[in-house]
């Protein structure tokens, strides 16, 4: 992640600022800081028994998120308005507990999200542009539990995740810096499946 940020800063320092042009296509890649809730709810009660003859349930706590890796393609149907698709990947890991016990195992969750996007540029000033972006689609979640030794077929049989759900994202404010004719650095602040803060690079054609 540090190398990625340094790489983008070097490009920015070496690049020459360009004024706004009429672009038809945008391709982007970015990294986002993702709320854990976008993958799985910490502390959720799993509907399974930890061992025969008990009614205790598992809880998932101490979640650690990977953040989001995003990629997308947009087509401008007019100068300010563009539509397209995006893909997001993120993952998380949780400790599995029974009541107030010490961690008995791990739960790993992976999430693949595909969404349709709409973007509106509402202000252009020389080499900078401000915009808003909204997206909606499907989130495909898969997860697997294991004990502390990495075995998946022990205490945690039945504690897994394989489901699809509605996904959405909204960034009220995004900023493009067009530092060359076809390249831009960008940052967004928002909420949803892509992360509450994103930064990356775009190719504009």
């Amino acid at each position: 992640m540090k190398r990625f940020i340094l790489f983008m800063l070097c490009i920015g320092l070496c690049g020459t600022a360009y004024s706004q042009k009429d672009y038809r296509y945008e391709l982007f890649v970015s990294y986002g800081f993702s709320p854990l809730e976008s993958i799985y709810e910490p502390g959720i009660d799993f509907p399974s028994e930890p061992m025969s003859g008990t009614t205790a349930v598992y809880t998932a706590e101490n979640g650690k998120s990977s953040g989001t890796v995003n990629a997308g393609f947009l087509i401008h149907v007019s100068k300010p308005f563009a539509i397209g698709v995006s893909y997001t990947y993120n993952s998380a890991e949780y400790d599995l507990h029974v009541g107030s016990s010490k961690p008995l195992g791990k739960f790993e969750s992976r999430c693949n999200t595909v969404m349709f996007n709409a973007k509106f540029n509402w202000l252009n000033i020389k080499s900078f542009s401000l915009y808003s972006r909204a997206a909606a689609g499907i989130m495909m979640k898969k997860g697997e539990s294991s004990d502390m030794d990495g075995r998946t077929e022990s205490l945690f049989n039945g504690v897994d995740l394989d489901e699809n759900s509605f996904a959405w994202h909204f960034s009220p404010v995004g900023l493009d810096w067009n530092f060359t004719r076809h390249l831009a650095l960008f940052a967004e602040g928002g909420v949803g499946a892509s992360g509450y803060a994103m930064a990356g690079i775009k190719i504009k054609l």
Side-chain angles (χ1 to χ4, degrees):
M1 180 57 192
K2 291 182 179 179
R3 292 181 179 179
F4 177 69
I5 294 174
L6 289 173
F7 171 73
M8 291 196 300
L9 287 175
C10 288
I11 292 177
L13 292 173
C14 295
T16 302
Y18 278 72
S19 61
Q20 294 293 313
K21 305 292 182 181
D22 291 334
Y23 299 106
R24 176 65 174 166
Y25 307 106
E26 293 184 23
L27 295 91
F28 67 86
V29 292
S30 67
Y31 177 84
F33 298 92
S34 175
L36 291 171
E37 288 78 3
S38 67
I39 303 178
Y40 209 74
E41 288 286 350
I44 190 169
D45 288 338
F46 291 100
S48 60
E49 297 181 358
M51 59 190 68
S52 178
T54 176
T55 58
V57 292
Y58 297 112
T59 58
E61 300 174 0
N62 303 321
K64 299 176 182 178
S65 174
S66 66
T68 64
V69 177
N70 308 283
F73 175 72
L74 298 173
I75 300 175
H76 279 263
V77 295
S78 66
K79 186 171 182 178
F81 186 66
I83 58 175
V85 295
S86 65
Y87 167 78
T88 297
Y89 173 82
N90 53 353
S91 63
E93 183 179 282
Y94 300 87
D95 292 331
L96 284 178
H97 299 258
V98 176
S100 58
S101 72
K102 66 179 183 180
L104 300 176
K106 295 285 185 182
F107 184 82
E108 296 182 46
S109 177
R110 298 168 300 281
C111 184
N112 295 276
T113 303
V114 178
M115 295 183 288
F116 293 101
N117 287 240
K119 174 190 172 186
F120 184 77
N121 280 24
W122 41 271
L123 182 64
N124 296 316
I125 303 176
K126 293 185 178 180
S127 59
F128 296 93
S129 62
L130 292 172
Y131 63 89
S132 299
R133 182 175 66 90
I138 185 171
M139 179 181 289
M140 296 161 282
K141 296 177 282 188
K142 292 185 179 293
E144 185 177 56
S145 58
S146 62
D147 62 21
M148 299 305 288
D149 295 322
R151 296 173 296 187
T152 58
E153 297 181 358
S154 56
L155 291 176
F156 304 104
N157 285 343
V159 183
D160 56 15
L161 172 67
D162 188 355
E163 64 183 32
N164 300 330
S165 62
F166 176 73
W168 61 274
H169 184 87
F170 178 60
S171 292
V173 179
L175 173 66
D176 281 354
W177 174 36
N178 302 282
F179 62 93
T180 73
R181 184 177 180 84
H182 295 292
L183 292 176
L185 298 179
F186 76 96
E188 292 183 17
V191 61
S194 299
Y196 60 83
M198 298 167 53
I201 191 166
K202 292 180 180 178
I203 300 174
K204 297 186 176 184
L205 303 171

